[in-house]
Amino acid sequence: MSLDFSLIQQIDAHLPQTQCGLCGHRDGCLPYAQAISQGEDANKCIPGGQPVADALATLLNRPKIGALNSAWPIQANGRPQRMKAVIREDECIGCTKCISACPVDAIIGSGKQMHTIFSDLCTGCELCIAPCPVDCIDLIPDSMLLNPDQQQREQDDLRGRYYAHIQREEQQRFARRGPIVKAEINTQLFAEFSSHIQSVPQIKLQQIPEEKPTADPQTTIQMARLRTQIKKLEKQLSVREDAKKRMQLEQLTHQMTNIETMS
């Protein structure tokens, strides 16, 4: 199914970019925007509350429906209470699990060292709380009410930070060549979207080259024996030249080359 990137961008522009996954799309606001463009209900953004649900209904020319309930009280602007995560630093054991969980890189620290959260960058997504093995992260209310311009600037900044986070994860995935512990992010969607929309940071996918199949044990043993014989002959010939041994070395080298080509 072809995607309407222009419509997805318009929908994504209304979403708060908390990347919390409360809408059911674990890997951020953009996948939810895509799902909305394809017919999913537009009232599932809990941090955005009724204002975002109504704005999306107007944009899409759909009936206005009630936003999903939030656990936090509603503010004067109609959105749920903004929350910020804080670490009780004297209880932190430096496990780094909260760092990898943060979608906007608002947490700093290193292994076995105290961590801290930049409250100005925290989206209140709550994703850092569950991985913490010592339960030393709290949520506190943020009483600041943003006007529409401030809200838009914050969303644009958070979007950029999330794209940078995804790009770094993609690079680490390429370098690591191992399983990713965190939930998979649909990097293909983000990369395709960023290639069509110039106003968002571009994400480039890493191409992992195909590895040659591992040789069977018998071939591995044979190659090891050949290498040993070749090194032994090379050492002997470095001391004194011998035509018979030189011919034997050439034959073994040719045999090794053939095996490497076939494996």
Side-chain angles (χ1 to χ4, degrees):
M1 180 184 296
S2 61
L3 300 178
D4 185 343
F5 289 105
S6 176
L7 178 58
I8 294 173
Q9 181 190 25
Q10 294 176 65
I11 296 170
D12 185 63
H14 285 288
L15 298 175
Q17 305 304 313
T18 54
Q19 321 301 348
C20 60
L22 293 176
C23 61
H25 296 270
R26 169 61 182 84
D27 48 351
C29 296
L30 183 65
Y32 181 40
Q34 176 198 349
I36 292 173
S37 74
Q38 296 173 331
E40 187 166 322
D41 287 343
N43 67 331
K44 298 180 180 180
C45 178
I46 292 178
Q50 198 61 51
V52 168
D54 290 347
L56 291 174
T58 300
L59 171 67
L60 300 166
N61 195 26
R62 297 180 187 175
K64 292 183 178 181
I65 55 179
L68 296 186
N69 292 330
S70 171
W72 311 115
I74 303 301
Q75 301 178 111
N77 62 2
R79 294 189 179 215
Q81 171 72 60
R82 288 160 55 92
M83 306 298 290
K84 299 288 186 179
V86 293
I87 294 175
R88 299 194 299 276
E89 296 175 348
D90 57 335
E91 300 177 26
C92 175
I93 62 173
C95 69
T96 74
K97 291 183 178 180
C98 61
I99 292 179
S100 60
C102 181
V104 292
D105 299 329
I107 306 176
I108 60 169
S110 58
K112 299 182 180 180
Q113 301 294 324
M114 179 188 71
H115 297 359
T116 191
I117 298 175
F118 290 114
S119 58
D120 289 348
L121 302 178
C122 177
T123 69
C125 68
E126 306 182 34
L127 294 175
C128 60
I129 294 178
C132 179
V134 293
D135 194 24
C136 69
I137 303 177
D138 297 319
L139 289 172
I140 60 173
D142 178 5
S143 58
M144 180 181 293
L145 289 177
L146 303 181
N147 62 43
D149 289 340
Q150 292 172 325
Q151 185 75 50
Q152 191 61 57
R153 285 197 298 270
E154 180 181 76
Q155 289 176 189
D156 292 343
D157 178 65
L158 291 174
R159 185 183 294 106
R161 293 184 66 82
Y162 188 45
Y163 275 69
H165 175 84
I166 291 173
Q167 184 66 77
R168 191 181 68 253
E169 283 295 306
E170 175 67 7
Q171 293 168 349
Q172 290 178 351
R173 179 189 70 83
F174 175 74
R176 184 166 49 233
R177 300 281 189 91
I180 298 175
V181 176
K182 294 190 298 181
E184 286 282 0
I185 293 175
N186 186 356
T187 49
Q188 184 67 46
L189 170 63
F190 283 90
E192 192 173 357
F193 180 74
S194 66
S195 69
H196 284 79
I197 306 299
Q198 299 302 314
S199 59
V200 299
Q202 187 170 6
I203 289 181
K204 297 181 180 179
L205 298 182
Q206 301 288 335
Q207 298 297 323
I208 300 178
E210 293 184 4
E211 296 181 354
K212 290 184 177 180
T214 305
D216 63 85
Q218 186 175 356
T219 302
T220 301
I221 293 171
Q222 184 182 5
M223 291 178 68
R225 287 175 177 170
L226 285 172
R227 289 192 189 96
T228 300
Q229 291 175 299
I230 288 171
K231 287 181 179 180
K232 183 177 180 180
L233 285 170
E234 287 176 338
K235 185 174 182 180
Q236 291 173 349
L237 288 169
S238 67
V239 176
R240 186 174 61 185
E241 185 63 32
D242 184 289
K244 185 177 180 181
K245 290 182 178 180
R246 176 65 63 182
M247 182 179 295
Q248 186 180 0
L249 175 61
E250 291 176 356
Q251 291 174 343
L252 292 175
T253 302
H254 181 68
Q255 186 178 350
M256 172 70 82
T257 301
N258 288 339
I259 293 175
E260 290 177 338
T261 302
M262 294 173 61
S263 61

PDB file of all heavy atoms in Angstrom, residues 193-224:
ATOM      1  N   PHE A 193       9.958   8.147   5.212  1.00  0.00           N
ATOM      2  CA  PHE A 193       9.279   9.408   5.507  1.00  0.00           C
ATOM      3  C   PHE A 193      10.263  10.574   5.423  1.00  0.00           C
ATOM      4  O   PHE A 193       9.972  11.609   4.807  1.00  0.00           O
ATOM      5  CB  PHE A 193       8.658   9.339   6.897  1.00  0.00           C
ATOM      6  CG  PHE A 193       7.930  10.595   7.316  1.00  0.00           C
ATOM      7  CD1 PHE A 193       6.700  10.915   6.769  1.00  0.00           C
ATOM      8  CD2 PHE A 193       8.472  11.442   8.257  1.00  0.00           C
ATOM      9  CE1 PHE A 193       6.016  12.067   7.155  1.00  0.00           C
ATOM     10  CE2 PHE A 193       7.811  12.594   8.653  1.00  0.00           C
ATOM     11  CZ  PHE A 193       6.585  12.910   8.099  1.00  0.00           C
ATOM     12  N   SER A 194      11.440  10.416   6.026  1.00  0.00           N
ATOM     13  CA  SER A 194      12.410  11.513   6.032  1.00  0.00           C
ATOM     14  C   SER A 194      12.962  11.801   4.640  1.00  0.00           C
ATOM     15  O   SER A 194      13.393  12.906   4.355  1.00  0.00           O
ATOM     16  CB  SER A 194      13.565  11.195   6.998  1.00  0.00           C
ATOM     17  OG  SER A 194      14.322  10.083   6.550  1.00  0.00           O
ATOM     18  N   SER A 195      12.930  10.801   3.758  1.00  0.00           N
ATOM     19  CA  SER A 195      13.401  11.031   2.397  1.00  0.00           C
ATOM     20  C   SER A 195      12.388  11.816   1.570  1.00  0.00           C
ATOM     21  O   SER A 195      12.741  12.470   0.584  1.00  0.00           O
ATOM     22  CB  SER A 195      13.719   9.700   1.706  1.00  0.00           C
ATOM     23  OG  SER A 195      12.531   8.956   1.465  1.00  0.00           O
ATOM     24  N   HIS A 196      11.106  11.758   1.968  1.00  0.00           N
ATOM     25  CA  HIS A 196      10.059  12.490   1.253  1.00  0.00           C
ATOM     26  C   HIS A 196       9.799  13.875   1.846  1.00  0.00           C
ATOM     27  O   HIS A 196       9.390  14.787   1.125  1.00  0.00           O
ATOM     28  CB  HIS A 196       8.741  11.696   1.273  1.00  0.00           C
ATOM     29  CG  HIS A 196       8.710  10.541   0.326  1.00  0.00           C
ATOM     30  ND1 HIS A 196       9.324   9.340   0.601  1.00  0.00           N
ATOM     31  CD2 HIS A 196       8.141  10.409  -0.902  1.00  0.00           C
ATOM     32  CE1 HIS A 196       9.127   8.511  -0.420  1.00  0.00           C
ATOM     33  NE2 HIS A 196       8.414   9.126  -1.330  1.00  0.00           N
ATOM     34  N   ILE A 197      10.029  14.018   3.157  1.00  0.00           N
ATOM     35  CA  ILE A 197       9.718  15.265   3.851  1.00  0.00           C
ATOM     36  C   ILE A 197      11.023  15.944   4.248  1.00  0.00           C
ATOM     37  O   ILE A 197      11.758  15.453   5.111  1.00  0.00           O
ATOM     38  CB  ILE A 197       8.840  15.009   5.090  1.00  0.00           C
ATOM     39  CG1 ILE A 197       7.598  14.211   4.705  1.00  0.00           C
ATOM     40  CG2 ILE A 197       8.471  16.320   5.759  1.00  0.00           C
ATOM     41  CD1 ILE A 197       6.697  14.893   3.697  1.00  0.00           C
ATOM     42  N   GLN A 198      11.315  17.064   3.634  1.00  0.00           N
ATOM     43  CA  GLN A 198      12.602  17.720   3.831  1.00  0.00           C
ATOM     44  C   GLN A 198      12.718  18.419   5.185  1.00  0.00           C
ATOM     45  O   GLN A 198      13.817  18.740   5.617  1.00  0.00           O
ATOM     46  CB  GLN A 198      12.842  18.736   2.707  1.00  0.00           C
ATOM     47  CG  GLN A 198      12.877  18.129   1.329  1.00  0.00           C
ATOM     48  CD  GLN A 198      13.944  17.055   1.202  1.00  0.00           C
ATOM     49  OE1 GLN A 198      15.081  17.229   1.624  1.00  0.00           O
ATOM     50  NE2 GLN A 198      13.566  15.914   0.620  1.00  0.00           N
ATOM     51  N   SER A 199      11.612  18.666   5.864  1.00  0.00           N
ATOM     52  CA  SER A 199      11.649  19.423   7.118  1.00  0.00           C
ATOM     53  C   SER A 199      11.987  18.555   8.329  1.00  0.00           C
ATOM     54  O   SER A 199      12.064  19.067   9.440  1.00  0.00           O
ATOM     55  CB  SER A 199      10.299  20.108   7.359  1.00  0.00           C
ATOM     56  OG  SER A 199       9.252  19.156   7.430  1.00  0.00           O
ATOM     57  N   VAL A 200      12.196  17.258   8.136  1.00  0.00           N
ATOM     58  CA  VAL A 200      12.563  16.388   9.252  1.00  0.00           C
ATOM     59  C   VAL A 200      13.968  15.839   9.003  1.00  0.00           C
ATOM     60  O   VAL A 200      14.401  15.719   7.843  1.00  0.00           O
ATOM     61  CB  VAL A 200      11.561  15.222   9.427  1.00  0.00           C
ATOM     62  CG1 VAL A 200      10.181  15.759   9.719  1.00  0.00           C
ATOM     63  CG2 VAL A 200      11.532  14.329   8.199  1.00  0.00           C
ATOM     64  N   PRO A 201      14.705  15.519  10.074  1.00  0.00           N
ATOM     65  CA  PRO A 201      16.058  14.979   9.901  1.00  0.00           C
ATOM     66  C   PRO A 201      16.026  13.687   9.096  1.00  0.00           C
ATOM     67  O   PRO A 201      15.125  12.872   9.254  1.00  0.00           O
ATOM     68  CB  PRO A 201      16.521  14.728  11.342  1.00  0.00           C
ATOM     69  CG  PRO A 201      15.656  15.596  12.191  1.00  0.00           C
ATOM     70  CD  PRO A 201      14.335  15.676  11.488  1.00  0.00           C
ATOM     71  N   GLN A 202      16.996  13.520   8.239  1.00  0.00           N
ATOM     72  CA  GLN A 202      17.001  12.343   7.364  1.00  0.00           C
ATOM     73  C   GLN A 202      17.616  11.152   8.087  1.00  0.00           C
ATOM     74  O   GLN A 202      18.629  11.268   8.772  1.00  0.00           O
ATOM     75  CB  GLN A 202      17.775  12.624   6.081  1.00  0.00           C
ATOM     76  CG  GLN A 202      17.660  11.492   5.064  1.00  0.00           C
ATOM     77  CD  GLN A 202      18.215  11.876   3.704  1.00  0.00           C
ATOM     78  OE1 GLN A 202      18.790  12.933   3.540  1.00  0.00           O
ATOM     79  NE2 GLN A 202      18.050  11.007   2.729  1.00  0.00           N
ATOM     80  N   ILE A 203      16.989  10.017   7.936  1.00  0.00           N
ATOM     81  CA  ILE A 203      17.487   8.770   8.500  1.00  0.00           C
ATOM     82  C   ILE A 203      17.967   7.880   7.356  1.00  0.00           C
ATOM     83  O   ILE A 203      17.249   7.654   6.389  1.00  0.00           O
ATOM     84  CB  ILE A 203      16.396   8.053   9.316  1.00  0.00           C
ATOM     85  CG1 ILE A 203      16.123   8.828  10.600  1.00  0.00           C
ATOM     86  CG2 ILE A 203      16.801   6.623   9.635  1.00  0.00           C
ATOM     87  CD1 ILE A 203      15.081   8.194  11.473  1.00  0.00           C
ATOM     88  N   LYS A 204      19.193   7.413   7.473  1.00  0.00           N
ATOM     89  CA  LYS A 204      19.760   6.520   6.468  1.00  0.00           C
ATOM     90  C   LYS A 204      19.919   5.138   7.073  1.00  0.00           C
ATOM     91  O   LYS A 204      20.472   4.970   8.153  1.00  0.00           O
ATOM     92  CB  LYS A 204      21.116   7.053   5.998  1.00  0.00           C
ATOM     93  CG  LYS A 204      21.031   8.406   5.296  1.00  0.00           C
ATOM     94  CD  LYS A 204      22.393   8.873   4.833  1.00  0.00           C
ATOM     95  CE  LYS A 204      22.315  10.220   4.119  1.00  0.00           C
ATOM     96  NZ  LYS A 204      23.645  10.686   3.680  1.00  0.00           N
ATOM     97  N   LEU A 205      19.414   4.149   6.344  1.00  0.00           N
ATOM     98  CA  LEU A 205      19.513   2.775   6.817  1.00  0.00           C
ATOM     99  C   LEU A 205      20.895   2.224   6.531  1.00  0.00           C
ATOM    100  O   LEU A 205      21.498   2.508   5.489  1.00  0.00           O
ATOM    101  CB  LEU A 205      18.453   1.903   6.147  1.00  0.00           C
ATOM    102  CG  LEU A 205      16.989   2.286   6.408  1.00  0.00           C
ATOM    103  CD1 LEU A 205      16.070   1.295   5.727  1.00  0.00           C
ATOM    104  CD2 LEU A 205      16.704   2.334   7.898  1.00  0.00           C
ATOM    105  N   GLN A 206      21.402   1.436   7.462  1.00  0.00           N
ATOM    106  CA  GLN A 206      22.698   0.791   7.287  1.00  0.00           C
ATOM    107  C   GLN A 206      22.493  -0.540   6.561  1.00  0.00           C
ATOM    108  O   GLN A 206      21.580  -1.298   6.890  1.00  0.00           O
ATOM    109  CB  GLN A 206      23.357   0.541   8.647  1.00  0.00           C
ATOM    110  CG  GLN A 206      23.583   1.810   9.453  1.00  0.00           C
ATOM    111  CD  GLN A 206      24.691   2.665   8.884  1.00  0.00           C
ATOM    112  OE1 GLN A 206      25.579   2.154   8.197  1.00  0.00           O
ATOM    113  NE2 GLN A 206      24.638   3.951   9.141  1.00  0.00           N
ATOM    114  N   GLN A 207      23.325  -0.789   5.591  1.00  0.00           N
ATOM    115  CA  GLN A 207      23.240  -2.042   4.845  1.00  0.00           C
ATOM    116  C   GLN A 207      24.298  -3.004   5.364  1.00  0.00           C
ATOM    117  O   GLN A 207      25.497  -2.755   5.250  1.00  0.00           O
ATOM    118  CB  GLN A 207      23.447  -1.792   3.342  1.00  0.00           C
ATOM    119  CG  GLN A 207      22.394  -0.889   2.736  1.00  0.00           C
ATOM    120  CD  GLN A 207      21.008  -1.489   2.809  1.00  0.00           C
ATOM    121  OE1 GLN A 207      20.837  -2.699   2.656  1.00  0.00           O
ATOM    122  NE2 GLN A 207      20.003  -0.656   3.035  1.00  0.00           N
ATOM    123  N   ILE A 208      23.858  -4.089   5.971  1.00  0.00           N
ATOM    124  CA  ILE A 208      24.786  -5.082   6.493  1.00  0.00           C
ATOM    125  C   ILE A 208      25.134  -6.074   5.387  1.00  0.00           C
ATOM    126  O   ILE A 208      24.244  -6.719   4.836  1.00  0.00           O
ATOM    127  CB  ILE A 208      24.178  -5.832   7.688  1.00  0.00           C
ATOM    128  CG1 ILE A 208      23.861  -4.832   8.804  1.00  0.00           C
ATOM    129  CG2 ILE A 208      25.114  -6.926   8.186  1.00  0.00           C
ATOM    130  CD1 ILE A 208      23.220  -5.473  10.014  1.00  0.00           C
ATOM    131  N   PRO A 209      26.406  -6.152   5.012  1.00  0.00           N
ATOM    132  CA  PRO A 209      26.782  -7.070   3.928  1.00  0.00           C
ATOM    133  C   PRO A 209      26.513  -8.521   4.301  1.00  0.00           C
ATOM    134  O   PRO A 209      26.598  -8.911   5.468  1.00  0.00           O
ATOM    135  CB  PRO A 209      28.290  -6.817   3.750  1.00  0.00           C
ATOM    136  CG  PRO A 209      28.736  -6.278   5.069  1.00  0.00           C
ATOM    137  CD  PRO A 209      27.577  -5.484   5.600  1.00  0.00           C
ATOM    138  N   GLU A 210      26.166  -9.290   3.290  1.00  0.00           N
ATOM    139  CA  GLU A 210      25.923 -10.710   3.525  1.00  0.00           C
ATOM    140  C   GLU A 210      27.233 -11.415   3.850  1.00  0.00           C
ATOM    141  O   GLU A 210      28.266 -11.171   3.236  1.00  0.00           O
ATOM    142  CB  GLU A 210      25.308 -11.357   2.277  1.00  0.00           C
ATOM    143  CG  GLU A 210      23.910 -10.853   1.963  1.00  0.00           C
ATOM    144  CD  GLU A 210      23.305 -11.588   0.789  1.00  0.00           C
ATOM    145  OE1 GLU A 210      23.960 -12.522   0.287  1.00  0.00           O
ATOM    146  OE2 GLU A 210      22.190 -11.222   0.389  1.00  0.00           O
ATOM    147  N   GLU A 211      27.178 -12.261   4.843  1.00  0.00           N
ATOM    148  CA  GLU A 211      28.358 -13.013   5.232  1.00  0.00           C
ATOM    149  C   GLU A 211      28.392 -14.354   4.499  1.00  0.00           C
ATOM    150  O   GLU A 211      27.361 -14.959   4.231  1.00  0.00           O
ATOM    151  CB  GLU A 211      28.348 -13.260   6.740  1.00  0.00           C
ATOM    152  CG  GLU A 211      28.434 -11.968   7.556  1.00  0.00           C
ATOM    153  CD  GLU A 211      28.455 -12.258   9.042  1.00  0.00           C
ATOM    154  OE1 GLU A 211      28.279 -13.452   9.405  1.00  0.00           O
ATOM    155  OE2 GLU A 211      28.643 -11.326   9.825  1.00  0.00           O
ATOM    156  N   LYS A 212      29.612 -14.769   4.177  1.00  0.00           N
ATOM    157  CA  LYS A 212      29.771 -16.073   3.538  1.00  0.00           C
ATOM    158  C   LYS A 212      29.408 -17.166   4.534  1.00  0.00           C
ATOM    159  O   LYS A 212      29.680 -17.044   5.729  1.00  0.00           O
ATOM    160  CB  LYS A 212      31.224 -16.267   3.076  1.00  0.00           C
ATOM    161  CG  LYS A 212      31.612 -15.379   1.906  1.00  0.00           C
ATOM    162  CD  LYS A 212      33.010 -15.702   1.457  1.00  0.00           C
ATOM    163  CE  LYS A 212      33.406 -14.868   0.243  1.00  0.00           C
ATOM    164  NZ  LYS A 212      34.778 -15.187  -0.201  1.00  0.00           N
ATOM    165  N   PRO A 213      28.782 -18.227   4.076  1.00  0.00           N
ATOM    166  CA  PRO A 213      28.455 -19.314   4.991  1.00  0.00           C
ATOM    167  C   PRO A 213      29.705 -19.919   5.611  1.00  0.00           C
ATOM    168  O   PRO A 213      30.758 -20.003   4.963  1.00  0.00           O
ATOM    169  CB  PRO A 213      27.721 -20.323   4.090  1.00  0.00           C
ATOM    170  CG  PRO A 213      28.144 -19.988   2.696  1.00  0.00           C
ATOM    171  CD  PRO A 213      28.379 -18.504   2.683  1.00  0.00           C
ATOM    172  N   THR A 214      29.614 -20.312   6.840  1.00  0.00           N
ATOM    173  CA  THR A 214      30.748 -20.901   7.543  1.00  0.00           C
ATOM    174  C   THR A 214      31.083 -22.265   6.938  1.00  0.00           C
ATOM    175  O   THR A 214      30.196 -23.068   6.637  1.00  0.00           O
ATOM    176  CB  THR A 214      30.404 -21.075   9.026  1.00  0.00           C
ATOM    177  OG1 THR A 214      30.007 -19.810   9.541  1.00  0.00           O
ATOM    178  CG2 THR A 214      31.591 -21.586   9.815  1.00  0.00           C
ATOM    179  N   ALA A 215      32.377 -22.515   6.768  1.00  0.00           N
ATOM    180  CA  ALA A 215      32.813 -23.781   6.190  1.00  0.00           C
ATOM    181  C   ALA A 215      32.469 -24.936   7.128  1.00  0.00           C
ATOM    182  O   ALA A 215      32.404 -24.772   8.348  1.00  0.00           O
ATOM    183  CB  ALA A 215      34.322 -23.738   5.945  1.00  0.00           C
ATOM    184  N   ASP A 216      32.269 -26.112   6.551  1.00  0.00           N
ATOM    185  CA  ASP A 216      31.947 -27.266   7.385  1.00  0.00           C
ATOM    186  C   ASP A 216      33.202 -27.676   8.167  1.00  0.00           C
ATOM    187  O   ASP A 216      34.327 -27.350   7.789  1.00  0.00           O
ATOM    188  CB  ASP A 216      31.446 -28.414   6.513  1.00  0.00           C
ATOM    189  CG  ASP A 216      32.503 -28.895   5.541  1.00  0.00           C
ATOM    190  OD1 ASP A 216      33.326 -29.737   5.948  1.00  0.00           O
ATOM    191  OD2 ASP A 216      32.513 -28.415   4.387  1.00  0.00           O
ATOM    192  N   PRO A 217      33.035 -28.395   9.279  1.00  0.00           N
ATOM    193  CA  PRO A 217      34.165 -28.737  10.154  1.00  0.00           C
ATOM    194  C   PRO A 217      35.301 -29.471   9.430  1.00  0.00           C
ATOM    195  O   PRO A 217      36.473 -29.214   9.697  1.00  0.00           O
ATOM    196  CB  PRO A 217      33.510 -29.624  11.220  1.00  0.00           C
ATOM    197  CG  PRO A 217      32.082 -29.186  11.248  1.00  0.00           C
ATOM    198  CD  PRO A 217      31.751 -28.822   9.836  1.00  0.00           C
ATOM    199  N   GLN A 218      34.963 -30.379   8.515  1.00  0.00           N
ATOM    200  CA  GLN A 218      35.993 -31.141   7.817  1.00  0.00           C
ATOM    201  C   GLN A 218      36.875 -30.228   6.967  1.00  0.00           C
ATOM    202  O   GLN A 218      38.110 -30.360   6.947  1.00  0.00           O
ATOM    203  CB  GLN A 218      35.346 -32.215   6.940  1.00  0.00           C
ATOM    204  CG  GLN A 218      36.358 -33.160   6.293  1.00  0.00           C
ATOM    205  CD  GLN A 218      35.678 -34.292   5.538  1.00  0.00           C
ATOM    206  OE1 GLN A 218      34.464 -34.404   5.559  1.00  0.00           O
ATOM    207  NE2 GLN A 218      36.471 -35.134   4.882  1.00  0.00           N
ATOM    208  N   THR A 219      36.233 -29.275   6.274  1.00  0.00           N
ATOM    209  CA  THR A 219      36.997 -28.323   5.459  1.00  0.00           C
ATOM    210  C   THR A 219      37.865 -27.433   6.332  1.00  0.00           C
ATOM    211  O   THR A 219      39.012 -27.118   5.986  1.00  0.00           O
ATOM    212  CB  THR A 219      36.032 -27.446   4.627  1.00  0.00           C
ATOM    213  OG1 THR A 219      35.227 -28.293   3.800  1.00  0.00           O
ATOM    214  CG2 THR A 219      36.799 -26.472   3.757  1.00  0.00           C
ATOM    215  N   THR A 220      37.343 -27.017   7.468  1.00  0.00           N
ATOM    216  CA  THR A 220      38.108 -26.168   8.390  1.00  0.00           C
ATOM    217  C   THR A 220      39.364 -26.879   8.874  1.00  0.00           C
ATOM    218  O   THR A 220      40.449 -26.292   8.929  1.00  0.00           O
ATOM    219  CB  THR A 220      37.233 -25.780   9.603  1.00  0.00           C
ATOM    220  OG1 THR A 220      36.070 -25.094   9.146  1.00  0.00           O
ATOM    221  CG2 THR A 220      37.999 -24.878  10.561  1.00  0.00           C
ATOM    222  N   ILE A 221      39.215 -28.152   9.208  1.00  0.00           N
ATOM    223  CA  ILE A 221      40.375 -28.940   9.664  1.00  0.00           C
ATOM    224  C   ILE A 221      41.394 -29.084   8.542  1.00  0.00           C
ATOM    225  O   ILE A 221      42.609 -28.952   8.743  1.00  0.00           O
ATOM    226  CB  ILE A 221      39.912 -30.323  10.159  1.00  0.00           C
ATOM    227  CG1 ILE A 221      39.061 -30.166  11.432  1.00  0.00           C
ATOM    228  CG2 ILE A 221      41.107 -31.230  10.419  1.00  0.00           C
ATOM    229  CD1 ILE A 221      38.391 -31.447  11.880  1.00  0.00           C
ATOM    230  N   GLN A 222      40.894 -29.350   7.317  1.00  0.00           N
ATOM    231  CA  GLN A 222      41.790 -29.504   6.175  1.00  0.00           C
ATOM    232  C   GLN A 222      42.584 -28.236   5.914  1.00  0.00           C
ATOM    233  O   GLN A 222      43.800 -28.279   5.660  1.00  0.00           O
ATOM    234  CB  GLN A 222      40.980 -29.887   4.935  1.00  0.00           C
ATOM    235  CG  GLN A 222      41.844 -30.154   3.704  1.00  0.00           C
ATOM    236  CD  GLN A 222      41.007 -30.491   2.470  1.00  0.00           C
ATOM    237  OE1 GLN A 222      39.770 -30.425   2.531  1.00  0.00           O
ATOM    238  NE2 GLN A 222      41.660 -30.842   1.380  1.00  0.00           N
ATOM    239  N   MET A 223      41.907 -27.076   5.995  1.00  0.00           N
ATOM    240  CA  MET A 223      42.583 -25.798   5.760  1.00  0.00           C
ATOM    241  C   MET A 223      43.607 -25.513   6.848  1.00  0.00           C
ATOM    242  O   MET A 223      44.685 -24.970   6.572  1.00  0.00           O
ATOM    243  CB  MET A 223      41.544 -24.675   5.692  1.00  0.00           C
ATOM    244  CG  MET A 223      40.647 -24.739   4.456  1.00  0.00           C
ATOM    245  SD  MET A 223      39.395 -23.443   4.426  1.00  0.00           S
ATOM    246  CE  MET A 223      40.392 -21.984   4.196  1.00  0.00           C
ATOM    247  N   ALA A 224      43.302 -25.880   8.078  1.00  0.00           N
ATOM    248  CA  ALA A 224      44.246 -25.665   9.177  1.00  0.00           C
ATOM    249  C   ALA A 224      45.514 -26.481   8.962  1.00  0.00           C
ATOM    250  O   ALA A 224      46.635 -26.007   9.200  1.00  0.00           O
ATOM    251  CB  ALA A 224      43.586 -26.035  10.502  1.00  0.00           C
TER     252      ALA A 224
END
